[in-house]
Amino acid sequence: MAPKEDRYNIRVLDRAFAVISVLQDGKARTLTELSEEIDLNSSTTFRLLATLNYYNYVERNEETGKYKLGLACLELARAYSQTNDVRRAALENLERLRDETNETIHLGVLNEMEVVYLEKLHGNHAVGLMSSRVGSRLPAYCTGLGKVLLAYQDPANVKVYYSNPGKLIKYTNTTLHTLDDLMNHLVLVKERGYAFDHSEREHEVSCVAAPIFAMDCSVVAAISVSGPNTRMEPLEEKPDLIERTLETASAISAKLGYLPPDNK
C-alpha cells in the first residue's frame, strides 16, 4: 500500500500512516510482511514500528513477532466516536430501530468510494455471517449503505472511478459488476430513496438502506437494517421494514437540521 503523494506531506508521516492503514484490517503481520505491503525496506519499517510501538499505536507479540494496532488507536477511535455529530445524533434512533426489527443496524459514511462503518448494533438474533465492524471499510458499489451514498454523488465522478479496471469485482451472483448496470441502478436508488443489498457482497446477507441528509441537503451518511436471507428476503415484500428504515433516517436527518423541500 503506497502512501498518497502530496507536496505538503511529510514522508515519514506518510509511511507511519501507511503502516497503520495496513494493520486496520485486524490482521497481525510480521516485519517482513509489513515491509512488503508498504513497499519499504525492513530497516526503515522497523524504525517506524519502534516509534509507533513507543506511542502505543502498534503492539508486538513477543511470541509470534507479529504487529497489530495498539491501544492508542482504540483511544482515538473512541474520541472520534464520541465527538462525531452524525453518530451522536443517530445512536438513540438506531437503538430503537434495532429493538423494533431485531436485526443488525449499521451507520456508515462514504470515503474514497468506500463505506466506512461508524456504528454497528448487533441484532437480537445471533448472526455470524457479517464481516462488518466499526471502523472497517467495504466497497460501496456492492453494499446497501454504499449504493445509497453513491446515488447522491456526482454521477460523473462515480463513473470515472468505476471505469478503472478491477473496481467492479463480482463477489456473488447478484453483485453489480458492469459500469452500465451500476449507473442505471444508482438512478433507481435515488428515485425511490432507498437501496437493497441482495447478498451482493456477502452470501446469505441482505439489507435495506436509506440516506441521512444534513442541513445543506447533502447526504452525509446512511443507515441499514441487515440480516440473513431467511428472514430478510424477499426485501421487496417487506414494506414495513422499508418504512421503518426510511422513518429512522428521516428522524436522524431532522436532528441534523435537514428540512425536506416540501417543508421549507
Side-chain angles (χ1 to χ4, degrees), residues 36-76:
E36 291 175 351
E37 291 197 49
I38 64 176
D39 196 24
L40 288 176
N41 62 58
S42 295
S43 61
T44 300
T45 305
F46 177 78
R47 292 196 298 272
L48 290 170
L49 289 167
T51 303
L52 290 169
N53 182 69
Y54 178 82
Y55 288 102
N56 294 319
Y57 283 97
V58 302
E59 297 175 1
R60 183 177 183 272
N61 185 305
E62 296 300 328
E63 294 182 2
T64 65
K66 292 186 175 182
Y67 294 85
K68 65 178 183 178
L69 293 181
L71 287 175
C73 292
L74 176 61
E75 292 166 357
L76 282 179

Side-chain angles (χ1 to χ4, degrees), residues 21 60-61 75 97 141-142 146 154 162 192 198 211 231 237 248 261:
S21 295
R60 183 177 183 272
N61 185 305
E75 292 166 357
L97 183 61
Y141 71 95
C142 55
D154 184 338
Y162 286 108
R192 66 188 181 189
H198 293 291
R231 292 197 298 269
E237 297 179 15
T248 301

Side-chain angles (χ1 to χ4, degrees), residues 110 113-114 140-142 145-155 158 162 182 186:
L110 190 68
M113 300 298 177
E114 292 182 316
Y141 71 95
C142 55
L145 288 175
K147 290 192 294 182
V148 162
L149 293 165
L150 288 176
Y152 290 87
Q153 300 300 304
D154 184 338
V158 176
Y162 286 108
L182 175 63
L186 294 180

Side-chain angles (χ1 to χ4, degrees), residues 86-101 105 121 212 223 225 244-256:
V86 174
R87 182 188 174 276
R88 285 193 299 168
L91 189 56
E92 181 180 353
N93 297 89
L94 298 181
E95 290 173 341
R96 186 178 303 118
L97 183 61
R98 185 268 316 277
D99 294 341
E100 292 173 351
T101 62
I105 310 300
L121 301 179
I212 294 174
I223 63 170
V225 181
R244 285 298 302 120
T245 305
L246 289 169
E247 288 175 353
T248 301
S250 295
I252 298 168
S253 298
K255 288 183 177 180
L256 297 177

Side-chain angles (χ1 to χ4, degrees), residues 14-31:
D14 282 340
R15 292 172 170 179
F17 285 126
V19 171
I20 293 173
S21 295
V22 168
L23 291 174
Q24 71 181 7
D25 65 1
K27 178 184 174 183
R29 292 168 172 83
T30 64
L31 169 62

Side-chain angles (χ1 to χ4, degrees), residues 151-172:
Y152 290 87
Q153 300 300 304
D154 184 338
N157 293 338
V158 176
K159 191 170 185 176
V160 168
Y161 180 83
Y162 286 108
S163 294
N164 293 317
K167 292 298 183 183
L168 293 172
I169 298 170
K170 186 176 182 180
Y171 292 102
T172 73

